[in-house]
Amino acid sequence: MTAPAPHEGPPEGVGASLVAHDLHVRAGRALAVRGVNAEFRRAAFTAIIGPNGAGKSTLLRALMGLDAPSDGEVTLAGRPLARWGRRERAARLSYLAQGEALPPGARVRDVVALGRGAGHWRWGLLPPPGEAAADRDAVRDAMQRTDVLPFAERRVEELSGGERQRVSLARALAAEPHFLLLDEPTNHLDLGYAAELLNYLRCEAAGGVGVIAVLHDLTLASQADALLLLHEGRVLAHGAPQDVLTPAHLLTAYNLRAEVLRHSGRLIVVPDLNGRPHTT
């Protein structure tokens, strides 16, 4: 597959940020996110990494406004997220959940169209009068940017796992968001499809979208512009991949000794399978 070209951008207001201010968030009774301070900017791709239970998905949901903070706050363009109306927020933040299910029997173009209008379309009906042209253009553009337009009339059951994830991505992009938040989008994808999806995300960031993705594969995550490493709900490191992916940080966060190699300008994390200090 040829690399998708970045879409026209960056869009108006590219400097606006999504910011966590001393953020604390509970998951059930447990405090899953503890005092996180982090700024996410448009036209940048940030990967959130860390071991299982570090608070990655909880942080992502709080940034989206799906989980309310127990302390601290999230601001979007300098305004508390809680003060944005639901439709205002949905027009600026688009979320791709882990293992998102697609409507059975739906055609690809209909799934992508669900990304328009903050959910005010009714399934199987045309968009409201006056919105049809703009919505149709946005849906087509999202399908083009994710290379799903050639199979727009196919049913979701006919698609491979990688194709389904691209359809979900197109659905999220059809809303023309300022920020795209994704929870483990490469989960259950083979290496080829995972690398392909990361390429689409890099292109979206180059076009002006702020991309924030929870990722487990550290070598793939190193292709992001910045990494945020969580450990026990706190930020252990945040910055350029080469500054975050260090043997010391990996030992602290993952309790695993590893080498971080550079090949052709890219980082490769190689764990020492005999180097785990102790069993936890």
Side-chain angles (χ1 to χ4, degrees):
M1 187 203 81
T2 58
H7 62 90
E8 293 294 330
E12 183 181 356
V14 72
S17 298
L18 184 64
V19 185
H21 302 270
D22 195 25
L23 192 66
H24 296 71
V25 189
R26 293 189 176 277
R29 292 187 174 183
L31 192 60
V33 171
R34 303 165 181 262
V36 168
N37 289 284
E39 179 178 5
F40 305 90
R41 299 185 67 81
R42 297 180 67 182
F45 176 14
T46 302
I48 300 175
I49 60 174
N52 291 339
K56 303 183 297 296
S57 295
T58 302
L59 174 59
L60 196 73
R61 288 178 57 84
L63 291 173
M64 186 67 195
L66 299 176
D67 287 350
S70 56
D71 200 2
E73 68 176 0
V74 176
T75 60
L76 174 60
R79 178 177 163 193
L81 194 60
R83 295 183 186 174
W84 289 85
R86 183 176 178 181
R87 290 192 62 176
E88 283 184 307
R89 187 190 310 170
R92 291 161 177 82
L93 305 176
S94 198
Y95 180 61
L96 182 54
Q98 184 180 161
E100 179 175 286
L102 301 183
R107 288 175 295 187
V108 167
R109 64 174 177 83
D110 291 328
V111 173
V112 178
L114 290 175
R116 294 298 295 169
H120 71 274
W121 285 23
R122 292 178 58 195
W123 180 257
L125 297 182
L126 294 175
E131 297 183 19
D135 287 331
R136 184 170 55 247
D137 291 345
V139 168
R140 182 178 181 84
D141 180 57
M143 289 194 292
Q144 285 180 324
R145 281 152 56 187
T146 52
D147 291 324
V148 303
L149 189 59
F151 49 87
E153 299 301 322
R154 288 171 62 186
R155 306 285 178 178
V156 296
E157 289 85 354
E158 302 170 14
L159 306 180
S160 68
E163 289 169 337
R164 287 187 183 207
Q165 193 68 329
R166 279 158 49 198
V167 171
S168 293
L169 177 59
R171 190 271 309 156
L173 292 175
E176 301 179 302
H178 294 186
F179 287 90
L180 175 64
L181 295 84
L182 310 96
D183 193 0
E184 296 189 36
T186 60
N187 197 22
H188 302 308
L189 297 182
D190 65 33
L191 183 59
Y193 277 127
E196 178 183 77
L197 187 69
L198 265 288
N199 193 33
Y200 286 111
L201 298 182
R202 284 164 54 92
C203 288
E204 289 304 318
V209 178
V211 177
I212 308 168
V214 170
L215 297 174
H216 270 297
D217 188 309
L218 299 182
T219 296
L220 284 177
S222 73
Q223 303 304 302
D225 299 313
L227 301 180
L228 188 150
L229 174 58
L230 290 180
H231 174 55
E232 296 180 349
R234 302 183 185 277
V235 176
L236 179 63
H238 186 193
Q242 66 269 21
D243 297 328
V244 174
L245 291 179
T246 67
H249 287 154
L250 296 177
L251 181 60
T252 299
Y254 294 92
N255 197 28
L256 180 70
R257 300 190 190 280
E259 284 188 88
V260 182
L261 309 178
R262 187 178 291 274
H263 177 70
S264 300
R266 300 187 177 187
L267 301 179
I268 301 172
V269 177
V270 183
D272 180 354
L273 299 182
N274 296 314
R276 193 173 183 88
H278 57 83
T279 301
T280 57

